[in-house]
PDB file of all heavy atoms in Angstrom:
ATOM      1  N   GLU Z 150     -20.440   8.799  25.155  1.00  0.00           N
ATOM      2  CA  GLU Z 150     -19.760   8.014  26.196  1.00  0.00           C
ATOM      3  C   GLU Z 150     -18.339   7.660  25.770  1.00  0.00           C
ATOM      4  O   GLU Z 150     -17.397   7.720  26.567  1.00  0.00           O
ATOM      5  CB  GLU Z 150     -20.555   6.722  26.499  1.00  0.00           C
ATOM      6  CG  GLU Z 150     -21.655   6.911  27.517  1.00  0.00           C
ATOM      7  CD  GLU Z 150     -21.286   7.923  28.603  1.00  0.00           C
ATOM      8  OE1 GLU Z 150     -20.301   7.705  29.346  1.00  0.00           O
ATOM      9  OE2 GLU Z 150     -21.972   8.952  28.725  1.00  0.00           O
ATOM     10  N   ASN Z 151     -18.190   7.294  24.485  1.00  0.00           N
ATOM     11  CA  ASN Z 151     -16.848   6.970  23.978  1.00  0.00           C
ATOM     12  C   ASN Z 151     -15.938   8.206  24.097  1.00  0.00           C
ATOM     13  O   ASN Z 151     -14.767   8.098  24.462  1.00  0.00           O
ATOM     14  CB  ASN Z 151     -16.895   6.546  22.512  1.00  0.00           C
ATOM     15  CG  ASN Z 151     -17.728   5.308  22.265  1.00  0.00           C
ATOM     16  OD1 ASN Z 151     -18.305   5.155  21.197  1.00  0.00           O
ATOM     17  ND2 ASN Z 151     -17.822   4.421  23.246  1.00  0.00           N
ATOM     18  N   MET Z 152     -16.494   9.390  23.800  1.00  0.00           N
ATOM     19  CA  MET Z 152     -15.666  10.606  23.855  1.00  0.00           C
ATOM     20  C   MET Z 152     -15.297  10.931  25.300  1.00  0.00           C
ATOM     21  O   MET Z 152     -14.242  11.504  25.573  1.00  0.00           O
ATOM     22  CB  MET Z 152     -16.383  11.792  23.181  1.00  0.00           C
ATOM     23  CG  MET Z 152     -16.518  11.631  21.687  1.00  0.00           C
ATOM     24  SD  MET Z 152     -14.921  11.280  20.843  1.00  0.00           S
ATOM     25  CE  MET Z 152     -15.305   9.727  20.038  1.00  0.00           C
ATOM     26  N   ARG Z 153     -16.162  10.549  26.243  1.00  0.00           N
ATOM     27  CA  ARG Z 153     -15.805  10.755  27.648  1.00  0.00           C
ATOM     28  C   ARG Z 153     -14.591   9.878  27.995  1.00  0.00           C
ATOM     29  O   ARG Z 153     -13.722  10.284  28.761  1.00  0.00           O
ATOM     30  CB  ARG Z 153     -16.978  10.399  28.563  1.00  0.00           C
ATOM     31  CG  ARG Z 153     -18.132  11.378  28.473  1.00  0.00           C
ATOM     32  CD  ARG Z 153     -19.121  11.150  29.652  1.00  0.00           C
ATOM     33  NE  ARG Z 153     -20.473  11.538  29.333  1.00  0.00           N
ATOM     34  CZ  ARG Z 153     -20.942  12.782  29.373  1.00  0.00           C
ATOM     35  NH1 ARG Z 153     -20.148  13.767  29.723  1.00  0.00           N
ATOM     36  NH2 ARG Z 153     -22.187  13.034  29.074  1.00  0.00           N
ATOM     37  N   SER Z 154     -14.522   8.670  27.428  1.00  0.00           N
ATOM     38  CA  SER Z 154     -13.356   7.808  27.677  1.00  0.00           C
ATOM     39  C   SER Z 154     -12.100   8.447  27.057  1.00  0.00           C
ATOM     40  O   SER Z 154     -11.029   8.447  27.667  1.00  0.00           O
ATOM     41  CB  SER Z 154     -13.559   6.413  27.057  1.00  0.00           C
ATOM     42  OG  SER Z 154     -14.670   5.795  27.624  1.00  0.00           O
ATOM     43  N   VAL Z 155     -12.265   8.972  25.831  1.00  0.00           N
ATOM     44  CA  VAL Z 155     -11.140   9.642  25.164  1.00  0.00           C
ATOM     45  C   VAL Z 155     -10.636  10.799  26.016  1.00  0.00           C
ATOM     46  O   VAL Z 155      -9.416  11.004  26.192  1.00  0.00           O
ATOM     47  CB  VAL Z 155     -11.580  10.155  23.759  1.00  0.00           C
ATOM     48  CG1 VAL Z 155     -10.491  10.996  23.098  1.00  0.00           C
ATOM     49  CG2 VAL Z 155     -11.991   8.993  22.846  1.00  0.00           C
ATOM     50  N   ALA Z 156     -11.596  11.545  26.611  1.00  0.00           N
ATOM     51  CA  ALA Z 156     -11.261  12.754  27.363  1.00  0.00           C
ATOM     52  C   ALA Z 156     -10.455  12.473  28.632  1.00  0.00           C
ATOM     53  O   ALA Z 156      -9.861  13.393  29.230  1.00  0.00           O
ATOM     54  CB  ALA Z 156     -12.541  13.513  27.699  1.00  0.00           C
ATOM     55  N   LYS Z 157     -10.392  11.208  29.050  1.00  0.00           N
ATOM     56  CA  LYS Z 157      -9.571  10.890  30.236  1.00  0.00           C
ATOM     57  C   LYS Z 157      -8.096  11.076  29.921  1.00  0.00           C
ATOM     58  O   LYS Z 157      -7.278  11.245  30.803  1.00  0.00           O
ATOM     59  CB  LYS Z 157      -9.806   9.419  30.661  1.00  0.00           C
ATOM     60  CG  LYS Z 157     -11.161   9.181  31.267  1.00  0.00           C
ATOM     61  CD  LYS Z 157     -11.249   7.714  31.706  1.00  0.00           C
ATOM     62  CE  LYS Z 157     -12.689   7.295  31.882  1.00  0.00           C
ATOM     63  NZ  LYS Z 157     -12.871   5.844  31.860  1.00  0.00           N
ATOM     64  N   PHE Z 158      -7.758  11.037  28.619  1.00  0.00           N
ATOM     65  CA  PHE Z 158      -6.338  11.081  28.253  1.00  0.00           C
ATOM     66  C   PHE Z 158      -5.944  12.235  27.337  1.00  0.00           C
ATOM     67  O   PHE Z 158      -4.791  12.389  26.994  1.00  0.00           O
ATOM     68  CB  PHE Z 158      -5.921   9.744  27.614  1.00  0.00           C
ATOM     69  CG  PHE Z 158      -5.911   8.650  28.637  1.00  0.00           C
ATOM     70  CD1 PHE Z 158      -7.027   7.871  28.832  1.00  0.00           C
ATOM     71  CD2 PHE Z 158      -4.803   8.470  29.455  1.00  0.00           C
ATOM     72  CE1 PHE Z 158      -7.044   6.891  29.825  1.00  0.00           C
ATOM     73  CE2 PHE Z 158      -4.796   7.494  30.440  1.00  0.00           C
ATOM     74  CZ  PHE Z 158      -5.928   6.710  30.633  1.00  0.00           C
ATOM     75  N   THR Z 159      -6.937  13.026  26.935  1.00  0.00           N
ATOM     76  CA  THR Z 159      -6.586  14.180  26.104  1.00  0.00           C
ATOM     77  C   THR Z 159      -7.635  15.274  26.226  1.00  0.00           C
ATOM     78  O   THR Z 159      -8.821  14.993  26.446  1.00  0.00           O
ATOM     79  CB  THR Z 159      -6.436  13.783  24.604  1.00  0.00           C
ATOM     80  OG1 THR Z 159      -5.946  14.921  23.901  1.00  0.00           O
ATOM     81  CG2 THR Z 159      -7.732  13.312  23.980  1.00  0.00           C
ATOM     82  N   ASP Z 160      -7.173  16.507  26.074  1.00  0.00           N
ATOM     83  CA  ASP Z 160      -8.112  17.631  26.005  1.00  0.00           C
ATOM     84  C   ASP Z 160      -8.576  17.882  24.579  1.00  0.00           C
ATOM     85  O   ASP Z 160      -9.466  18.698  24.349  1.00  0.00           O
ATOM     86  CB  ASP Z 160      -7.431  18.929  26.493  1.00  0.00           C
ATOM     87  CG  ASP Z 160      -7.162  18.876  27.982  1.00  0.00           C
ATOM     88  OD1 ASP Z 160      -7.887  18.146  28.691  1.00  0.00           O
ATOM     89  OD2 ASP Z 160      -6.215  19.556  28.430  1.00  0.00           O
ATOM     90  N   TYR Z 161      -7.944  17.180  23.627  1.00  0.00           N
ATOM     91  CA  TYR Z 161      -8.246  17.476  22.227  1.00  0.00           C
ATOM     92  C   TYR Z 161      -9.423  16.622  21.761  1.00  0.00           C
ATOM     93  O   TYR Z 161      -9.313  15.821  20.825  1.00  0.00           O
ATOM     94  CB  TYR Z 161      -6.999  17.262  21.363  1.00  0.00           C
ATOM     95  CG  TYR Z 161      -5.832  18.087  21.851  1.00  0.00           C
ATOM     96  CD1 TYR Z 161      -4.653  17.501  22.290  1.00  0.00           C
ATOM     97  CD2 TYR Z 161      -5.939  19.484  21.911  1.00  0.00           C
ATOM     98  CE1 TYR Z 161      -3.595  18.257  22.766  1.00  0.00           C
ATOM     99  CE2 TYR Z 161      -4.882  20.256  22.397  1.00  0.00           C
ATOM    100  CZ  TYR Z 161      -3.723  19.636  22.810  1.00  0.00           C
ATOM    101  OH  TYR Z 161      -2.692  20.382  23.294  1.00  0.00           O
ATOM    102  N   VAL Z 162     -10.528  16.785  22.442  1.00  0.00           N
ATOM    103  CA  VAL Z 162     -11.729  16.030  22.126  1.00  0.00           C
ATOM    104  C   VAL Z 162     -12.946  16.919  22.384  1.00  0.00           C
ATOM    105  O   VAL Z 162     -12.948  17.690  23.337  1.00  0.00           O
ATOM    106  CB  VAL Z 162     -11.803  14.716  22.947  1.00  0.00           C
ATOM    107  CG1 VAL Z 162     -11.677  14.950  24.441  1.00  0.00           C
ATOM    108  CG2 VAL Z 162     -13.091  13.937  22.653  1.00  0.00           C
ATOM    109  N   SER Z 163     -13.935  16.815  21.487  1.00  0.00           N
ATOM    110  CA  SER Z 163     -15.199  17.560  21.655  1.00  0.00           C
ATOM    111  C   SER Z 163     -16.359  16.594  21.517  1.00  0.00           C
ATOM    112  O   SER Z 163     -16.144  15.386  21.399  1.00  0.00           O
ATOM    113  CB  SER Z 163     -15.306  18.664  20.602  1.00  0.00           C
ATOM    114  OG  SER Z 163     -14.529  19.760  21.024  1.00  0.00           O
ATOM    115  N   GLY Z 164     -17.565  17.161  21.500  1.00  0.00           N
ATOM    116  CA  GLY Z 164     -18.746  16.297  21.360  1.00  0.00           C
ATOM    117  C   GLY Z 164     -19.211  15.797  22.713  1.00  0.00           C
ATOM    118  O   GLY Z 164     -19.877  14.769  22.809  1.00  0.00           O
ATOM    119  N   ILE Z 165     -18.847  16.544  23.755  1.00  0.00           N
ATOM    120  CA  ILE Z 165     -19.291  16.188  25.112  1.00  0.00           C
ATOM    121  C   ILE Z 165     -20.167  17.348  25.587  1.00  0.00           C
ATOM    122  O   ILE Z 165     -19.708  18.501  25.562  1.00  0.00           O
ATOM    123  CB  ILE Z 165     -18.066  15.952  26.035  1.00  0.00           C
ATOM    124  CG1 ILE Z 165     -17.222  14.804  25.463  1.00  0.00           C
ATOM    125  CG2 ILE Z 165     -18.493  15.692  27.463  1.00  0.00           C
ATOM    126  CD1 ILE Z 165     -15.900  14.587  26.120  1.00  0.00           C
ATOM    127  N   PRO Z 166     -21.417  17.057  25.957  1.00  0.00           N
ATOM    128  CA  PRO Z 166     -22.353  18.151  26.203  1.00  0.00           C
ATOM    129  C   PRO Z 166     -21.874  19.165  27.222  1.00  0.00           C
ATOM    130  O   PRO Z 166     -21.284  18.818  28.242  1.00  0.00           O
ATOM    131  CB  PRO Z 166     -23.592  17.428  26.742  1.00  0.00           C
ATOM    132  CG  PRO Z 166     -23.450  16.029  26.296  1.00  0.00           C
ATOM    133  CD  PRO Z 166     -21.989  15.739  26.171  1.00  0.00           C
TER     134      PRO Z 166
END
Side-chain angles (χ1 to χ4, degrees):
E150 274 325 299
N151 300 150
M152 292 307 123
R153 290 194 208 279
S154 299
V155 173
K157 289 182 199 161
F158 290 92
T159 186
D160 290 335
Y161 304 119
V162 54
S163 280
I165 299 172

